[in-house]
Amino acid sequence: MDKLNLVYEGKAKKVYSTEDKSYFIMEFKDDATAFNGQKKGKIRDKGIVNNRISAFLFELLEKNGIKTHFVKLLSEREMLVKAVRILPLEVIVRNIAAGSLAKKLGLNEGEKLQRPVLELCYKNDKLQDPMINNFHAMALGIATQEQLKFIEETSFKINKILQAFFMQKGIILVDFKLEYGTFGDEILLADEISPDTCRLWDAGTGEKLDKDRFRRDLGKVEEAYQEVLKRLIEK
Ligand code: TMP
């Protein structure tokens, strides 16, 4: 299937229409931003690595009964996906305090939370993606109560599946961000799951294997992304 028109360009991906209305082609870029676009850079081959990691994790989730937009890999940087309409929500799940939650609640980064936490943010660059609750999401007409319940339950299920899987690979899943889209009557997991959208710490050393290396100028950014891919695909 060929790319037709660019329908969306985000910070890390481009989405194209195809001759079939039901499918989009998603292309992963090397561009990286942080702090709502204030910090800009490139991570060499990130697009290639994130395309493969996302494909791998979507397949893992599908095998475990989670419906996703993923159809198949097309090339190094491209995957075929179902043409969902993305809900303007960032769904964040956290197992361990880090990043903005550690700051907000005065916790030390690395403190285990007594139960997983789910947060919703309203995807809106102008407003810098403010955190919202279910009532805000319903008031904005983003999703119904039923859809929000499905998203919550699905996100916690995904957390269990990914946490157990990463642990087998010697990686702690600290937190991650999901996006969902509607496809007819269905809600599908969409966007990507990669070191751009997860915090992943080596279980032995605590070393960060994710985008915090870029956000915080920790060095060895490319190596960290490659390491995650290597661990996922090794038997
Ligand atoms: P935070 O601690 O900065 O709120 O980030 C929580 C998780 O969400 C972390 O794994 C990184 C991910 N994330 C994104 O994927 N996109 C974003 O725009 C932000 C702010 C966080």
Side-chain angles (χ1 to χ4, degrees), residues 23-228:
Y23 297 99
F24 286 153
I25 291 175
M26 200 159 80
E27 182 187 318
F28 288 72
K29 305 189 283 184
D30 287 348
D31 299 338
T33 64
F35 316 118
N36 221 28
Q38 284 177 56
K39 181 180 168 110
K40 286 195 176 75
K42 272 191 196 290
I43 300 173
R44 187 176 29 87
D45 293 343
K46 172 170 82 78
I48 298 172
V49 176
N50 281 359
N51 187 33
R52 288 190 65 189
I53 293 176
S54 289
F56 186 96
L57 294 175
F58 283 137
E59 279 180 343
L60 172 79
L61 291 170
E62 289 275 358
K63 277 184 214 146
N64 284 276
I66 306 290
K67 290 186 172 172
T68 80
H69 72 157
F70 179 72
V71 180
K72 62 177 180 179
L73 278 174
L74 293 176
S75 71
E76 262 193 336
R77 289 177 184 273
E78 296 166 325
M79 60 169 67
L80 187 68
V81 296
K82 291 186 179 151
V84 298
R85 184 194 295 257
I86 293 280
L87 301 176
L89 279 183
E90 298 201 338
V91 182
I92 295 170
V93 180
R94 303 178 184 266
N95 298 305
I96 291 175
S100 68
L101 183 78
K103 206 166 158 192
K104 194 189 314 275
L105 300 185
L107 300 170
N108 291 318
E109 199 160 74
E111 265 182 67
K112 190 173 184 306
L113 300 166
Q114 294 187 23
R115 58 149 294 156
V117 167
L118 184 139
E119 294 170 358
L120 295 179
C121 293
Y122 175 32
K123 244 173 94 90
N124 182 316
D125 281 342
K126 262 197 220 145
L127 303 176
Q128 299 181 21
D129 301 341
M131 193 194 284
I132 58 170
N133 65 27
N134 286 11
F135 294 99
H136 297 121
M138 289 186 277
L140 290 168
I142 296 173
T144 63
Q145 194 160 22
E146 198 189 5
Q147 289 174 323
L148 290 166
K149 185 164 176 269
F150 173 82
I151 287 171
E152 264 174 32
E153 287 172 1
T154 306
S155 301
F156 282 126
K157 263 190 221 163
I158 292 171
N159 185 40
K160 281 211 173 127
I161 298 163
L162 293 183
Q163 214 182 7
F165 177 76
F166 275 117
M167 193 38 80
Q168 285 172 21
K169 304 288 181 179
I171 293 174
I172 297 169
L173 178 62
V174 174
D175 56 32
F176 57 97
K177 185 263 299 177
L178 302 172
E179 294 185 25
Y180 291 86
T182 54
F183 187 69
D185 296 339
E186 291 185 307
I187 294 186
L188 306 180
L189 178 67
D191 194 56
E192 67 178 284
I193 311 178
S194 72
D196 270 9
T197 63
C198 301
R199 282 198 175 89
L200 304 168
W201 295 353
D202 181 273
T205 63
E207 193 188 351
K208 295 186 192 336
L209 300 173
D210 58 62
K211 194 175 164 190
D212 272 347
R213 301 205 74 84
F214 168 79
R215 295 189 189 99
R216 303 178 188 187
D217 295 319
L218 300 176
K220 296 202 171 167
V221 185
E222 285 85 1
E223 290 85 343
Y225 281 66
Q226 299 277 358
E227 176 65 21
V228 173

Side-chain angles (χ1 to χ4, degrees), residues 14-27:
K14 290 180 182 175
V15 178
Y16 295 89
S17 59
T18 66
E19 50 283 24
D20 187 331
K21 271 203 171 101
S22 301
Y23 297 99
F24 286 153
I25 291 175
M26 200 159 80
E27 182 187 318

